[in-house]
Amino acid sequence: MSKTILGISAFYHDSAAALIRDGEIIAAAQEERFSRKKHDPQFPERAINYCLEEAFIDPSELDAVVFYDNPLLTFDRLMKNFLTVAPLGLEQWTKASRSFLGVKAVVKEYVRRTLGAEIKLLFSDHHLAHAAAAFYPSPFTDAAILTVDGVGEWATLTLGHGRGSRIELLKEIRYPHSLGLLYSAMTYHCGFKVNSGEYKLMGLAPYGQPVFADRIKECLIDVKEDGSFRLNTEYFGFMQQNVMTNEAFDDLFGGAPRQPEAKITRREMDLAASVQAVLEEVMLKLARNIKRLTGSKNLALSGGVALNCVANGKILREGIFDNLWIQPAAGDAGNAVGAALLANHQYFDEPRKLNPSGRDSQKGSYLGPAYSSTEVRAFLDRRGYTYTRIADAHERAKMIARSLADGHIVGYMAGRMEFGPRALGARSILGDPRRTEMQSTMNLKIKYRESFRPFAPAVLAERASDYFELETESPYMLLVAPVRESRREAMNVEDFESGHCDDMLAIINQPRSDIPAVTHVDYSARIQTVHADLKPDFYQLIKEFEALTGCAVVVNTSFNVRGEPIVCSPQDAYRCFMRTEIDLLVMEDCLLWKNEQPDFKDTQDWRAQYELD
Ligand SMILES: [Fe+2]
């Protein structure tokens, strides 16, 4: 009997809902996209309603609702942590216990109120949900499963084995020993926001040298040959209070944490490079260990640390496994999918059906809402915004490609929204990667953010190996690989590397390859391979760009301003278009030019609306 199951992730970070039917992911979305609050931790009422609408079902048709975490285990951890460090942890304890005492009853009440019906409520273990999110949507019948995050209940990392419809967790590492928390501690120390700035730290690492790596391994983390590790908690603040690091940590690295928005110095670059090097070393050891334990030729990854696409690329290139699949919503949002699939296969004992095409079952992660041309036009007509409709898909792709080739920046909204943190051509801002100035233009005039971060290339799948040293698909932008040597250009980094100057802009504005806007300072790139069967409109657009320019790559960055969740609706997209220097907005088959729009009266300063991340 096929089952319809709703998965929910909530109350910690990045709430989400997912709906599966007969083992197929029908819909999945993060609450932030609807509430417009980045990483919204609230109960995902809007995301749940969207999932039900997408599946055309009434709540009473649900066989079960599954919560992504076992609150009793989380509560147990918080209590034991309190007993270990009391009275230092009193403040943290009081805060946490308020939210976790009775959380099962709270979840039950929210579910009853949102769905208006009594439905079987199940609770999944946190890392089992991560493992399920990694394995079940993957194309593998047999895979080693590695889940790595900050902490979920007690575990911070698990090694598992997936076979057919079953998942078995073989080993775990427990709080406070956490690779994710180590990386987050350094993120905090370098002046970035915990739980979102980790990606920036990874982007900063190529500017630095790993000069602190030995100190990290001597003092902060004791790593064994099998990849298991222990943190030295004397240097961290998260057990005692709500901060990541303490004075001992500051002393170890020669000073207080960088203040957010302060100038980034060589120290932060070197710290980023150092913690990244340690993370990669541990991940490679873990990958070798889990290979030994399972004998599988496939690896499935999830947990927030699996978003570290530089480490993922290293695992791939090391050749430990033949194949690698990473859950695109690797953080806790993805556990909404994982928990629902876990209930389907391990609670209801439903068999697993692999995608007959040989692909994964994540559907390109285009699992969110779409807006039809009729809906877009109704919105534009109602507001009196000027647009041109080009119904012919081929003509439209040609027009957008021409605009990109002319140096314009394009806001692109087409089809179902992405599930997970990366924009994959459904809610993206696009540009011409051949232009040296494109990286700083897009950073400063569109994203309003630090300009050191590179953009990602979206490349026609069959042309990827012409540009990058990558022999596999990367449809979810979760692998980093080097730009081909033949495309690189020598950079003048002598002053920078010798420490005479730490001005990153001097490097950023130098051409590094024939696609400079998507080439990092170490010649790496965070690649999205674009596939005709997964995203035909985006594929066609790049194909037209290639026909015009010979270049099969476009710059792809998420459609939002700094601190804003990725746009979801036509209204969100139009607002972002008018607030930034995007030249052309495409919403389905409607094209809008900035210079043809009526005066935009912004009722709110977006800089005040969104908390900078
Ligand atoms: Fe997690």
Side-chain angles (χ1 to χ4, degrees):
M1 259 297 268
S2 99
K3 296 283 184 267
T4 305
I5 303 168
L6 180 72
I8 294 173
S9 166
F11 300 139
Y12 174 58
H13 182 252
D14 216 6
S15 291
L19 194 129
I20 67 151
R21 187 164 48 204
D22 199 13
E24 181 189 349
I25 310 171
I26 304 295
Q30 291 134 278
E31 184 71 0
E32 62 161 28
R33 307 290 163 88
F34 306 98
S35 69
R36 311 307 299 153
K37 289 185 197 124
K38 197 152 184 175
H39 305 308
D40 194 344
Q42 297 300 312
F43 190 76
E45 214 176 305
R46 298 169 182 91
I48 290 172
N49 286 331
Y50 155 67
C51 287
L52 296 172
E53 273 169 31
E54 187 72 47
F56 293 107
I57 63 158
D58 187 80
S60 61
E61 294 170 60
L62 289 170
D63 292 289
V65 175
V66 197
F67 193 67
Y68 82 121
D69 188 280
N70 186 336
L72 289 180
L73 288 176
T74 304
F75 181 68
D76 182 53
R77 168 172 56 82
L78 290 165
M79 190 165 82
K80 290 199 175 116
N81 186 42
F82 165 68
L83 293 174
T84 315
V85 300
L88 280 174
L90 188 59
E91 188 196 344
Q92 194 190 18
W93 158 256
T94 314
K95 257 192 213 157
S97 62
R98 248 186 246 130
S99 56
F100 279 100
L101 273 171
V103 78
K104 270 197 169 181
V106 171
V107 174
K108 204 168 182 172
E109 177 54 23
Y110 268 110
V111 168
R112 200 189 55 74
R113 228 191 300 154
T114 307
L115 300 176
E118 287 294 337
I119 297 157
K120 183 194 288 288
L121 178 61
L122 305 170
F123 290 85
S124 144
D125 284 357
H126 187 100
H127 274 264
L128 207 46
H130 273 312
F135 178 60
Y136 290 129
S138 81
F140 310 137
T141 50
D142 182 299
I145 309 170
L146 179 57
T147 71
V148 193
D149 68 2
V151 60
E153 297 145 6
W154 275 103
T156 67
L157 184 154
T158 67
L159 307 181
H161 195 174
R163 276 169 287 196
S165 299
R166 311 305 292 178
I167 289 175
E168 188 190 357
L169 297 186
L170 308 170
K171 288 193 171 191
E172 68 174 21
I173 292 178
R174 290 188 146 210
Y175 179 87
H177 309 293
S178 165
L179 199 54
L181 288 176
L182 170 70
Y183 206 84
S184 291
M186 197 58 90
T187 301
Y188 166 79
H189 190 77
C190 289
F192 302 114
K193 214 170 165 180
V194 169
N195 277 337
S196 67
E198 285 79 3
Y199 215 60
K200 294 186 187 179
L201 197 72
M202 183 186 77
L204 184 61
Y207 290 96
Q209 298 296 325
V211 293
F212 297 108
D214 287 343
R215 201 174 302 172
I216 291 174
K217 285 191 285 179
E218 274 157 27
C219 302
L220 299 186
I221 184 169
D222 178 24
V223 186
K224 301 278 182 273
E225 218 24 62
D226 65 358
S228 63
F229 53 82
R230 289 184 70 79
L231 290 194
N232 182 349
T233 54
E234 279 172 30
Y235 290 93
F236 298 91
F238 54 76
M239 289 183 77
Q240 288 81 16
Q241 36 191 321
N242 236 341
V243 292
M244 293 307 297
T245 58
N246 58 20
E247 278 178 18
F249 192 102
D250 298 351
D251 291 344
L252 193 61
F253 298 111
R258 168 184 164 259
Q259 288 302 304
E261 308 306 309
K263 185 179 184 312
I264 294 171
T265 67
R266 175 159 300 278
R267 189 176 80 106
E268 286 80 49
M269 299 175 210
D270 290 343
L271 285 170
S274 304
V275 77
Q276 179 66 30
V278 173
L279 177 107
E280 287 166 16
E281 183 184 325
V282 179
M283 289 294 277
L284 284 173
K285 284 182 170 164
L286 287 165
R288 285 191 199 99
N289 185 20
I290 197 172
K291 171 80 184 178
R292 273 193 300 272
L293 288 171
T294 62
S296 183
K297 58 183 184 5
N298 307 311
L299 175 65
L301 272 174
S302 191
V305 176
L307 294 171
N308 194 302
C309 39
V310 180
N312 299 344
K314 293 253 161 87
I315 293 174
L316 185 72
R317 277 192 295 286
E318 203 71 10
I320 305 164
F321 291 91
D322 293 355
N323 305 296
L324 177 63
W325 193 84
I326 306 144
Q327 165 57 241
D332 286 355
N335 278 13
V337 167
L341 288 169
L342 188 72
N344 192 52
H345 300 304
Q346 303 222 150
Y347 181 84
F348 290 113
D349 226 1
E350 291 287 321
R352 179 170 169 232
K353 293 175 202 151
L354 289 170
N355 186 339
S357 72
R359 275 205 177 285
D360 65 49
S361 308
Q362 186 84 11
K363 301 180 174 173
S365 223
Y366 304 110
L367 298 166
Y371 294 83
S372 67
S373 168
T374 312
E375 286 171 297
V376 170
R377 280 179 284 131
F379 164 76
L380 296 173
D381 292 337
R382 204 166 51 239
R383 304 289 180 101
Y385 299 148
T386 311
Y387 65 95
T388 309
R389 187 177 178 213
I390 305 179
D392 183 281
H394 186 214
E395 282 308 309
R396 191 165 66 244
K398 264 166 74 173
M399 170 75 104
I400 302 165
R402 163 57 57 206
S403 175
L404 286 171
D406 288 344
H408 292 127
I409 295 170
V410 176
Y412 190 74
M413 170 178 172
R416 296 184 68 180
M417 182 180 72
E418 301 87 345
F419 179 54
R422 305 280 84 86
L424 302 168
R427 303 290 185 277
S428 289
I429 298 173
L430 311 174
D432 181 348
R434 300 167 304 159
R435 294 167 185 264
T436 310
E437 77 290 352
M438 192 54 80
Q439 180 178 348
S440 41
T441 305
M442 286 177 80
N443 265 319
L444 297 172
K445 295 186 177 175
I446 310 283
K447 307 291 280 198
Y448 302 103
R449 68 183 191 185
E450 301 92 336
S451 54
F452 68 84
R453 295 171 63 198
F455 288 108
V459 58
L460 295 178
E462 68 275 17
R463 295 286 317 275
S465 58
D466 296 341
Y467 290 87
F468 310 103
E469 292 172 14
L470 179 76
E471 305 305 329
T472 183
E473 295 183 352
S474 178
Y476 302 115
M477 209 187 272
L478 283 167
L479 292 173
V480 163
V483 170
R484 283 228 170 272
E485 220 159 322
S486 56
R487 296 189 173 270
R488 298 182 195 172
E489 284 179 33
M491 282 188 285
N492 177 11
V493 290
E494 216 172 280
D495 282 355
F496 187 80
E497 286 188 342
S498 65
H500 287 119
C501 128
D502 58 9
D503 179 12
M504 292 187 288
L505 281 174
I507 294 193
I508 289 160
N509 293 326
Q510 288 183 42
R512 297 179 283 280
S513 72
D514 60 356
I515 41 170
V518 293
T519 307
H520 210 335
V521 292
D522 59 352
Y523 297 107
S524 67
R526 201 158 39 96
I527 302 156
Q528 179 195 1
T529 53
V530 180
H531 304 259
D533 58 333
L534 285 178
K535 189 70 178 142
D537 57 289
F538 194 36
Y539 179 88
Q540 194 171 12
L541 194 168
I542 305 172
K543 196 89 186 149
E544 291 301 330
F545 185 72
E546 184 193 26
L548 271 177
T549 64
C551 176
V553 180
V554 297
V555 175
N556 177 11
T557 184
S558 55
F559 198 158
N560 59 344
V561 288
R562 187 173 169 200
E564 181 190 19
I566 297 177
V567 301
C568 175
S569 68
Q571 189 176 357
D572 304 332
Y574 188 84
R575 196 189 302 123
C576 187
F577 166 56
M578 293 306 289
R579 282 173 170 176
T580 60
E581 296 185 36
I582 295 174
D583 302 294
L584 171 66
L585 171 62
V586 180
M587 293 198 280
E588 296 303 328
D589 57 4
C590 298
L591 276 66
L592 292 84
W593 288 97
K594 176 68 63 60
N595 56 13
E596 294 174 358
Q597 299 309 307
D599 270 356
F600 184 65
K601 292 179 191 65
D602 213 349
T603 48
Q604 235 176 337
D605 179 0
W606 68 264
R607 289 169 185 83
Q609 185 180 353
Y610 304 119
E611 193 182 325
L612 291 183
D613 58 0

